[in-house]
Short mmCIF file of all heavy atoms in Angstrom, two decimals:
data_model
loop_
_atom_site.label_atom_id
_atom_site.label_comp_id
_atom_site.label_asym_id
_atom_site.label_seq_id
_atom_site.Cartn_x
_atom_site.Cartn_y
_atom_site.Cartn_z
N MET A 10 105.89 116.83 43.68
CA MET A 10 105.25 115.67 42.96
C MET A 10 104.00 116.10 42.40
O MET A 10 103.54 115.65 41.21
CB MET A 10 105.05 114.40 43.79
CG MET A 10 106.39 113.76 44.24
SD MET A 10 107.06 112.82 42.81
CE MET A 10 105.88 111.32 42.81
N HIS A 11 103.17 116.85 43.02
CA HIS A 11 101.89 117.39 42.61
C HIS A 11 102.03 118.12 41.40
O HIS A 11 101.35 118.10 40.40
CB HIS A 11 101.18 118.10 43.86
CG HIS A 11 100.07 119.02 43.38
ND1 HIS A 11 98.73 118.38 43.00
CD2 HIS A 11 99.97 120.29 42.98
CE1 HIS A 11 97.98 119.32 42.52
NE2 HIS A 11 98.60 120.50 42.70
N GLN A 12 102.97 119.06 41.42
CA GLN A 12 103.27 119.92 40.30
C GLN A 12 103.73 119.09 39.10
O GLN A 12 103.39 119.36 37.92
CB GLN A 12 104.21 121.03 40.60
CG GLN A 12 103.76 121.88 41.70
CD GLN A 12 104.90 122.93 42.15
OE1 GLN A 12 106.01 122.55 42.14
NE2 GLN A 12 104.44 124.01 42.73
N THR A 13 104.46 118.03 39.21
CA THR A 13 105.01 117.25 38.23
C THR A 13 103.80 116.46 37.40
O THR A 13 103.90 116.38 36.19
CB THR A 13 105.91 116.20 38.74
OG1 THR A 13 107.05 116.76 39.39
CG2 THR A 13 106.42 115.30 37.67
N PHE A 14 102.83 115.96 38.23
CA PHE A 14 101.76 115.13 37.59
C PHE A 14 100.56 115.94 37.17
O PHE A 14 99.67 115.39 36.54
CB PHE A 14 101.30 114.16 38.63
CG PHE A 14 102.31 112.93 38.61
CD1 PHE A 14 103.24 112.87 39.53
CD2 PHE A 14 102.07 111.76 37.82
CE1 PHE A 14 104.10 111.73 39.69
CE2 PHE A 14 102.78 110.66 37.79
CZ PHE A 14 103.84 110.65 38.73
N GLN A 15 100.56 117.31 37.52
CA GLN A 15 99.30 118.00 37.24
C GLN A 15 99.05 118.02 35.68
O GLN A 15 97.85 117.91 35.31
CB GLN A 15 99.43 119.44 37.71
CG GLN A 15 98.21 120.30 37.76
CD GLN A 15 98.43 121.64 38.40
OE1 GLN A 15 99.19 122.49 37.92
NE2 GLN A 15 97.70 121.96 39.37
N PRO A 16 99.92 118.27 34.78
CA PRO A 16 99.60 118.36 33.35
C PRO A 16 99.03 116.92 32.94
O PRO A 16 98.04 116.93 32.15
CB PRO A 16 100.84 118.65 32.65
CG PRO A 16 101.73 119.21 33.73
CD PRO A 16 101.41 118.60 34.90
N MET A 17 99.54 115.79 33.48
CA MET A 17 99.07 114.55 33.15
C MET A 17 97.56 114.30 33.56
O MET A 17 96.78 113.77 32.95
CB MET A 17 100.02 113.50 33.73
CG MET A 17 99.55 112.02 33.42
SD MET A 17 100.77 110.92 34.06
CE MET A 17 100.00 109.37 33.75
N LEU A 18 97.41 114.79 34.91
CA LEU A 18 95.97 114.62 35.44
C LEU A 18 94.98 115.45 34.58
O LEU A 18 93.87 114.94 34.19
CB LEU A 18 95.98 115.16 36.77
CG LEU A 18 94.65 115.17 37.53
CD1 LEU A 18 94.24 113.88 37.93
CD2 LEU A 18 94.50 116.26 38.57
N ASN A 19 95.24 116.73 34.14
CA ASN A 19 94.49 117.34 33.44
C ASN A 19 94.10 116.90 31.98
O ASN A 19 93.10 116.94 31.54
CB ASN A 19 94.95 118.90 33.23
CG ASN A 19 94.68 119.83 34.50
OD1 ASN A 19 93.62 119.61 35.03
ND2 ASN A 19 95.68 120.51 34.90
N ALA A 20 95.19 116.11 31.55
CA ALA A 20 95.01 115.60 30.14
C ALA A 20 94.11 114.26 30.24
O ALA A 20 93.39 114.02 29.31
CB ALA A 20 96.42 115.15 29.56
N LEU A 21 94.06 113.57 31.36
CA LEU A 21 93.39 112.39 31.61
C LEU A 21 91.97 112.58 31.94
O LEU A 21 91.17 111.77 31.79
CB LEU A 21 94.16 111.44 32.51
CG LEU A 21 95.34 110.79 31.87
CD1 LEU A 21 96.10 110.11 33.09
CD2 LEU A 21 94.96 109.75 30.85
N CYS A 22 91.75 113.74 32.62
CA CYS A 22 90.35 114.02 33.14
C CYS A 22 89.39 114.30 31.94
O CYS A 22 89.65 115.00 31.03
CB CYS A 22 90.34 115.30 34.11
SG CYS A 22 91.02 114.86 35.57
N THR A 23 88.12 113.62 31.96
CA THR A 23 87.07 114.06 31.08
C THR A 23 86.17 115.06 31.96
O THR A 23 85.27 115.72 31.33
CB THR A 23 86.31 112.92 30.65
OG1 THR A 23 85.67 112.29 31.75
CG2 THR A 23 87.12 112.01 29.81
N GLY A 24 86.28 115.13 33.26
CA GLY A 24 85.50 116.04 34.05
C GLY A 24 86.38 116.36 35.34
O GLY A 24 87.15 115.56 35.79
N ARG A 25 86.12 117.56 35.83
CA ARG A 25 86.90 118.01 37.03
C ARG A 25 85.91 118.60 37.97
O ARG A 25 85.29 119.53 37.75
CB ARG A 25 87.92 119.12 36.59
CG ARG A 25 88.94 118.68 35.52
CD ARG A 25 89.90 119.80 35.19
NE ARG A 25 90.82 119.44 34.14
CZ ARG A 25 90.50 119.86 32.79
NH1 ARG A 25 89.46 120.53 32.52
NH2 ARG A 25 91.30 119.46 31.79
N PHE A 26 85.92 117.94 39.17
CA PHE A 26 85.01 118.41 40.40
C PHE A 26 86.09 118.99 41.34
O PHE A 26 87.16 118.52 41.42
CB PHE A 26 84.37 117.22 40.81
CG PHE A 26 83.10 116.79 40.01
CD1 PHE A 26 82.84 117.35 38.83
CD2 PHE A 26 82.26 115.78 40.42
CE1 PHE A 26 81.82 116.88 38.02
CE2 PHE A 26 81.21 115.35 39.77
CZ PHE A 26 80.94 115.94 38.53
N ALA A 27 85.52 119.75 42.13
CA ALA A 27 86.28 120.35 43.45
C ALA A 27 85.24 120.73 44.42
O ALA A 27 84.06 121.19 44.18
CB ALA A 27 87.12 121.61 42.95
N CYS A 28 85.71 120.60 45.71
CA CYS A 28 84.72 121.00 46.91
C CYS A 28 84.68 122.38 47.12
O CYS A 28 83.85 122.88 47.82
CB CYS A 28 85.18 120.09 48.10
SG CYS A 28 86.82 120.71 48.74
N SER A 29 85.53 123.14 46.46
CA SER A 29 85.50 124.67 46.68
C SER A 29 86.35 125.24 45.40
O SER A 29 87.06 124.47 44.82
CB SER A 29 86.15 125.03 47.97
OG SER A 29 87.53 124.79 48.06
N GLN A 30 86.33 126.56 45.37
CA GLN A 30 87.06 127.23 44.38
C GLN A 30 88.47 127.04 44.61
O GLN A 30 89.24 126.83 43.62
CB GLN A 30 86.62 128.71 44.30
CG GLN A 30 87.31 129.60 43.27
CD GLN A 30 86.76 129.25 41.87
OE1 GLN A 30 85.62 128.82 41.74
NE2 GLN A 30 87.63 129.51 40.87
N LYS A 31 88.98 127.23 45.75
CA LYS A 31 90.38 127.07 46.03
C LYS A 31 90.86 125.74 45.81
O LYS A 31 92.05 125.42 45.31
CB LYS A 31 90.71 127.47 47.46
CG LYS A 31 90.53 129.04 47.72
CD LYS A 31 91.03 129.31 49.20
CE LYS A 31 90.98 130.94 49.33
NZ LYS A 31 91.40 131.14 50.75
N ALA A 32 90.01 124.70 46.15
CA ALA A 32 90.33 123.35 45.94
C ALA A 32 90.58 123.05 44.46
O ALA A 32 91.51 122.17 44.04
CB ALA A 32 89.38 122.33 46.54
N GLY A 33 89.72 123.62 43.66
CA GLY A 33 89.82 123.40 42.17
C GLY A 33 91.08 124.07 41.64
O GLY A 33 91.75 123.39 40.77
N GLU A 34 91.29 125.23 42.06
CA GLU A 34 92.61 125.92 41.55
C GLU A 34 93.89 125.16 42.02
O GLU A 34 94.71 125.20 41.20
CB GLU A 34 92.58 127.39 42.13
CG GLU A 34 91.40 128.26 41.58
CD GLU A 34 91.40 129.62 42.31
OE1 GLU A 34 91.96 129.76 43.28
OE2 GLU A 34 90.45 130.31 41.90
N TRP A 35 93.90 124.57 43.19
CA TRP A 35 94.94 123.84 43.60
C TRP A 35 95.22 122.61 42.84
O TRP A 35 96.40 122.35 42.31
CB TRP A 35 94.71 123.43 45.07
CG TRP A 35 95.56 122.20 45.39
CD1 TRP A 35 95.17 120.90 45.64
CD2 TRP A 35 96.97 122.20 45.67
NE1 TRP A 35 96.20 120.11 45.96
CE2 TRP A 35 97.33 120.89 45.99
CE3 TRP A 35 98.02 123.20 45.77
CZ2 TRP A 35 98.59 120.52 46.33
CZ3 TRP A 35 99.31 122.82 45.86
CH2 TRP A 35 99.65 121.52 46.24
N LEU A 36 94.22 121.92 42.43
CA LEU A 36 94.34 120.56 41.77
C LEU A 36 94.55 120.83 40.24
O LEU A 36 95.29 120.08 39.56
CB LEU A 36 93.24 119.62 41.96
CG LEU A 36 93.41 118.30 41.49
CD1 LEU A 36 94.73 117.48 42.31
CD2 LEU A 36 92.28 117.18 41.74
#
């Protein structure tokens, strides 16, 4: 499900935060 929605999430974000490098790469 995460992989399915990832393109949609990236399209809707105007900013992307992550608590670590790995967490950012994951999301």
